[in-house]
Amino acid sequence: MRGEFPSLRFLRPGRLSCISGITAVVAGVDRCMVCIMSRASSQLAFFLCGCYMAALGVHAGEHYVADHHKAGYYVAAVYEHQSILSPNPLALTSRKEALELMNQNLDIYEQQVMTAAQKGVQIIVFPEDGIHGFNFTRTSIYPFLDFMPSPQLVKWNPCLEPQRFNDTEVLQRLSCMALKGEMFLVANLGTKQPCHSSDPGCPNDGRYQFNTDVVFSSNGTLVDRYRKHNLYFEAAVDAPLKVDHIIFDTPFAGKVGIFTCFDILFFNPAIQLLRDSEVKHIVYPAAWMNQLPLLAAIQIQSAFAIAFGINFLAANIHHPSLGMTGSGIYSPLKSFWHHDMESSKGHLIIAQVARNPQGLVGTENATGKMDPSHSKFLKILAGDPYCEKDAQEIHCDAATKWNMNAPPTFYSEMMYDNFTLVPVWGKEGYLRVCANGLCCYLLYQRPTLSKELYALGVFDGLHTVHGTYYVQVCALVKCGGLGFDTCGQEITEATGIFEFHLWGNFSTSYIFPLFLTSGMTLETPDQLGWENGHYFLRKSRLSSGLVTAALYGRLYERD
């Protein structure tokens, strides 16, 4: 529920709009940050959001609305919701009082559905904990829970059959929104299910309580439900005894998978769902606290879409004082996202989404000629005799000399893990740093040097703070200051420009490319893939200063 990856240091506020990698301050709009990311300006898609009309005028919006049912595309929306919270979630309350609070949030949901309907939206996603809030005990959350019949056993339209089950007022309202807006609707709520003492898993109070995502079709029918499996310090609810692997069918996008927040870091159900090759779309309610430099919400959301070549529709809760913001509609080549640490208002993103997303492909650039830096990278991996390496220097051809100068290895805490790092000095170079069995490499050039410290870091081990899971990480990060001990601190602004290859000898195939530039801006890698037993990320032409470029590997079997 509340705040996966809590952070002790919150992000610095930012407001900007990013269009095809070109950054510009949005004039005339207070506290709004909306971004589009695309590999090529010619691929720019149209979008609408709560501040878009005021920020960029109505022309693109009019074109978007007129073209919203383009063949091979559908229109999706995610809403980052500033939820109205219980003033005392630990206090016992009545069902009537609980419904009064939840209806305030549902009123806002209904407004967003009606706005989305006017733009031709076919599916909308709302965040985790958006209706009832968080920080409850098992007892205090009970009045906020709806009874949840199994959609596999019961076909039910709560809007049209409101008297069929008791304690289903929230489900009824959501069903009516879907029906009125004529769109698929995904939302998160707390649910309850009675159990008997003969059930060995039945809690002592005689009921299961779940953190539940629900899916309604455009006619209000309850299509399916997903009960969160990987709970994040959620004492008020239970994990289901058996993992839900939920895939639902839509007429506009085919098969769609669903999971919640912290689930994104684990094999079940997230990775298991994608073993079905027909699943090209994921809907993802979240209540995620940003944790830089590696796990801000928009970082991991975008990385998941790129790593698996899918569309990823992510709705995060919006509570900047808790470090909670970051939602978007992501595809491997083009993304629309929102990150705002200043505004106290919710935010709607609407985007046109390809039914069959294109992934990052190809080993050469558009001209058909191999990039010189990529040629050097391949020679290094191949151990080419013309790419001679020793402790002092590397020669990749007669005209190029890379200074090594044996940079010092140091240690610093990053993401609560003890990273081994080397400083990134000079305008060009080739670096290596190792820990346990993982070695990370960086081949880089910089057009100009900035007065900033960057470092290449490696971690290969079990992460044990705020969750236990095994990671292998190669990370190029900007440090918080000029001292080695500042590497790993949370920063959002940078000026350093790099052209680089980052790679490592990972022992997992599950590797997520985390990429963040100045002002909480996302970038798309030019190329990703395996080469000679190493996984690499390649990037040139950054639009702004580099904050983080990382390859984040998960070894699920070692958790």
Side-chain angles (χ1 to χ4, degrees), residues 131-147:
I131 296 172
H132 56 279
F134 35 68
N135 285 342
F136 294 96
T137 66
R138 184 174 180 85
T139 303
S140 68
I141 201 175
Y142 183 71
F144 293 84
L145 306 180
D146 267 34
F147 170 70

Side-chain angles (χ1 to χ4, degrees), residues 267 470 507-508 510 554-559:
F267 187 85
Y470 199 101
S507 53
T508 176
Y510 299 106
R554 280 286 285 114
L555 282 76
Y556 303 108
E557 68 277 9
R558 297 191 191 178
D559 289 352

Side-chain angles (χ1 to χ4, degrees), residues 109-126:
Y109 278 26
E110 187 166 0
Q111 293 169 8
Q112 301 307 316
V113 169
M114 292 302 98
T115 299
Q118 295 174 4
K119 308 303 179 185
V121 166
Q122 294 159 282
I123 185 169
I124 189 168
V125 184
F126 291 100

Side-chain angles (χ1 to χ4, degrees), residues 6-236:
S7 168
L8 300 179
R9 304 176 297 273
F10 298 130
L11 304 180
R12 198 166 78 80
R15 288 177 287 176
L16 80 164
S17 174
C18 307
I19 302 177
S20 294
I22 301 171
T23 304
V25 176
V26 177
V29 180
D30 187 32
R31 296 172 179 170
C32 171
M33 176 178 174
V34 181
C35 295
I36 297 179
M37 176 178 67
S38 175
R39 293 189 73 202
S41 59
S42 63
Q43 296 176 322
L44 179 63
F46 298 99
F47 74 105
L48 291 172
C49 64
C51 68
Y52 175 70
M53 300 296 283
L56 300 180
V58 300
H59 299 294
E62 290 170 350
H63 179 89
Y64 170 85
V65 173
D67 198 31
H68 67 253
H69 284 154
K70 181 180 175 183
Y73 291 81
Y74 66 96
V75 183
V78 300
Y79 183 63
E80 182 165 308
H81 178 49
Q82 171 85 22
S83 55
I84 299 167
L85 301 174
S86 169
N88 186 0
L90 302 180
L92 301 181
T93 188
S94 66
R95 174 67 173 174
K96 179 182 177 182
E97 292 170 326
L99 285 171
E100 288 175 353
L101 175 71
M102 291 191 289
N103 276 322
Q104 294 180 65
N105 288 307
L106 288 166
D107 288 344
I108 298 171
Y109 278 26
E110 187 166 0
Q111 293 169 8
Q112 301 307 316
V113 169
M114 292 302 98
T115 299
Q118 295 174 4
K119 308 303 179 185
V121 166
Q122 294 159 282
I123 185 169
I124 189 168
V125 184
F126 291 100
E128 182 185 24
D129 296 339
I131 296 172
H132 56 279
F134 35 68
N135 285 342
F136 294 96
T137 66
R138 184 174 180 85
T139 303
S140 68
I141 201 175
Y142 183 71
F144 293 84
L145 306 180
D146 267 34
F147 170 70
M148 183 79 231
S150 171
Q152 284 78 33
L153 301 176
V154 177
K155 185 176 182 180
W156 179 41
N157 187 312
C159 187
L160 302 182
E161 305 172 88
Q163 305 304 320
R164 188 169 177 183
F165 301 103
N166 293 327
D167 290 341
T168 57
E169 292 89 343
V170 174
L171 290 170
Q172 292 168 33
R173 284 209 64 183
L174 293 170
S175 169
C176 290
M177 288 180 210
L179 176 61
K180 187 176 179 180
E182 299 183 56
M183 68 184 69
F184 273 66
L185 184 148
V186 179
N188 175 271
L189 72 158
T191 64
K192 59 187 177 183
Q193 178 185 323
C195 55
H196 301 286
S197 57
S198 59
D199 178 352
C202 185
N204 294 333
D205 52 17
R207 63 180 181 267
Y208 290 108
Q209 299 182 173
F210 296 116
N211 177 341
T212 304
D213 299 333
V214 288
V215 182
F216 293 94
S217 71
S218 56
N219 65 11
T221 299
L222 180 62
V223 174
D224 223 324
R225 59 98 176 92
Y226 166 70
R227 298 166 299 180
K228 187 177 180 183
H229 177 64
N230 298 288
L231 300 176
Y232 187 81
F233 302 102
E234 300 172 53

Side-chain angles (χ1 to χ4, degrees), residues 2 7 48 90 101 185 192 198 246 250 260-261 332 335 357 385 419 430 451 464 476 494 508 514 534-535 546:
R2 173 186 163 183
S7 168
L48 291 172
L90 302 180
L101 175 71
L185 184 148
K192 59 187 177 183
S198 59
I246 303 302
T250 66
T260 310
C261 209
S335 292
F419 273 69
Y430 165 71
K451 295 181 179 179
T464 58
L476 170 61
T508 176
L514 305 172
H534 294 72
Y535 193 82
L546 181 68

